[in-house]
Amino acid sequence: MAKAPSSILALTAGEPAGIGPDLCLQLALEDRATELVVVADIDLLFARAQQLQLGITVEAWQPGKPVRCEAGMLSVWSVAEAPERRAGFLDPANAGYVLETLAAAVRGCLRGDFGAMVTAPVHKGVINDGGFAFSGHTEFLQEQCEVERVVMMLATPELRVALATTHLPLRDVADAITAERLTQVIRILHEDLNSRFGLAAPRILVAGLNPHAGEGGHLGREEIDVIEPTLASLRQEGINLIGPLPADTLFTPRWLEQGDAVLAMYHDQGLPVLKSQGFGEAVNITLGLPIIRTSVDHGTALDLAGTGKAEVSSLRAAVAMAAQLVQTAQKETSQ
């Protein structure tokens, strides 16, 4: 029998200049059943707690050590030092530190120290300015875990939206919609909806790429040449796929009640709809990894960092989702 996943969650604090450290500290003020370890520069969190005038005890943690869960306690795995710790002031010198916190959390998950990792927001631009090619958490975790393909999915209590492509310029999207990519993405989405979310026969609504799903080829042929044949092939594997559907009507009750998740072709086709319905409560989940990873649905909010005005609801939801997915995994290994 496989070993049950750890119940401890790793929480990376993200960009030091942003609201990630603030949110970690705010979450530590709450009573929680989840064993949570923040992966960050412990001195950064000390300093931010003082700036925010929060009465929190920040305690150093090492793998194998018990985790304190009571309100007002925060366990921190300090794996690197942030050269610049000021709220609201981006510094490319912090890029290596940010990436090391992510890499350390991945290593901890792969070793079994953690059952999942939760990520606070990072700033892609300043990481690239620091000399590191970085297009986002999703792609970085794919590289760290050495897997061929991962899938970004955002979820609210009412809606799940996965993406066929993620952080690409719009002019590159059509060329990226290939039969190979769609096949990989849909298989991952189907498998993780089944294994991680407990959906025995998940129903997946697939958006077309073009307006009106191509209007029979008059508004683009990607649906005819690529999407429809790929869906037909995957249906032969027993995957329940509905579409391709016009994206402008897919997100209506008539269709959504028929599906468990939506597959959008590109980032801004599906995520604006999801965020308009549940911003602040949405959770970003990376599918296709050998580890569980969830994240917030917002950015670094530099103007709010260090002010005490940052809203912790999305991080709270990301932690709750990670804990739920760990519990599902633990049940699977116990059977």
Side-chain angles (χ1 to χ4, degrees):
M1 182 181 296
K3 181 181 177 181
S6 170
S7 59
I8 302 173
L9 308 185
L11 169 57
T12 56
E15 166 55 47
I19 60 172
D22 305 44
L23 298 179
C24 295
L25 291 162
Q26 287 173 235
L27 199 63
L29 290 171
E30 303 176 358
D31 286 318
R32 57 194 185 279
T34 304
E35 296 176 276
L36 198 63
V37 171
V38 175
V39 185
D41 178 357
I42 195 167
D43 291 331
L44 163 68
L45 292 172
F46 272 127
R48 193 65 60 86
Q50 290 178 339
Q51 182 176 353
L52 295 171
Q53 298 182 330
L54 299 177
I56 293 175
T57 299
V58 180
E59 181 179 73
W61 180 89
Q62 291 292 330
K65 185 177 179 179
V67 178
R68 302 279 294 275
C69 295
E70 60 265 34
M73 292 293 305
L74 186 63
S75 294
V76 179
W77 189 23
S78 194
V79 298
E81 294 184 3
E84 174 57 67
R85 300 183 178 119
R86 289 183 297 166
F89 292 87
L90 289 171
D91 190 332
N94 283 334
Y97 155 77
V98 171
L99 295 182
E100 177 53 27
T101 62
L102 294 174
V106 171
R107 292 193 299 267
C109 287
L110 292 174
R111 276 197 310 266
D113 299 330
F114 307 116
M117 65 182 289
V118 182
T119 57
V122 298
H123 194 286
K124 299 181 185 69
V126 78
I127 293 175
N128 283 279
D129 290 343
F132 298 90
F134 182 84
S135 58
H137 276 114
T138 303
E139 296 82 2
F140 181 81
L141 297 176
Q142 175 184 356
E143 180 181 332
Q144 290 289 304
C145 292
E146 299 180 342
V147 295
E148 183 178 359
R149 178 79 64 194
V150 293
V151 176
M152 177 188 291
M153 183 175 80
L154 269 75
T156 68
E158 294 79 28
L159 181 62
R160 302 182 185 97
V161 176
L163 302 178
T165 64
T166 53
H167 301 119
L168 288 180
L170 192 55
R171 68 171 59 250
D172 296 337
V173 169
D175 289 341
I177 302 299
T178 63
E180 179 183 14
R181 176 187 287 264
L182 282 181
T183 298
Q184 291 175 329
V185 166
I186 291 171
R187 283 174 176 163
I188 290 169
L189 178 57
H190 171 81
E191 170 60 27
D192 277 22
L193 287 172
N194 175 262
S195 62
R196 296 205 187 278
F197 291 85
L199 299 172
R203 304 164 299 168
I204 301 171
L205 305 173
V206 181
L209 174 66
N210 297 296
H212 302 177
E215 195 77 68
H218 295 288
L219 296 177
R221 292 194 55 85
E222 286 80 7
E223 287 76 14
I224 294 173
D225 294 340
V226 179
I227 300 176
E228 290 175 1
T230 302
L231 299 190
S233 177
L234 290 168
R235 289 187 187 106
Q236 297 300 310
E237 299 179 10
I239 300 177
N240 190 346
L241 300 166
I242 303 169
L245 302 170
D248 63 344
T249 54
L250 187 162
F251 293 97
T252 56
R254 173 199 168 195
W255 287 111
L256 291 180
E257 66 187 12
Q258 299 181 46
D260 298 300
V262 173
L263 178 64
M265 291 296 109
Y266 58 94
H267 189 281
D268 284 9
Q269 184 183 57
L271 297 194
V273 179
L274 180 136
K275 291 189 178 185
S276 72
Q277 294 186 4
F279 190 71
E281 296 182 354
V283 179
N284 187 343
I285 307 156
T286 306
L287 308 180
L289 293 173
I291 64 175
I292 295 169
R293 179 260 175 164
T294 67
S295 187
V296 295
D297 67 350
H298 56 74
T300 52
L302 299 173
D303 58 322
L304 297 179
T307 68
K309 297 179 180 178
E311 176 53 57
V312 75
S313 58
S314 183
L315 182 58
R316 187 187 297 118
V319 168
M321 175 66 75
Q324 177 183 329
L325 294 175
V326 169
Q327 289 177 357
T328 300
Q330 290 173 333
K331 290 178 182 177
E332 288 291 324
T333 57
S334 66
Q335 292 177 355

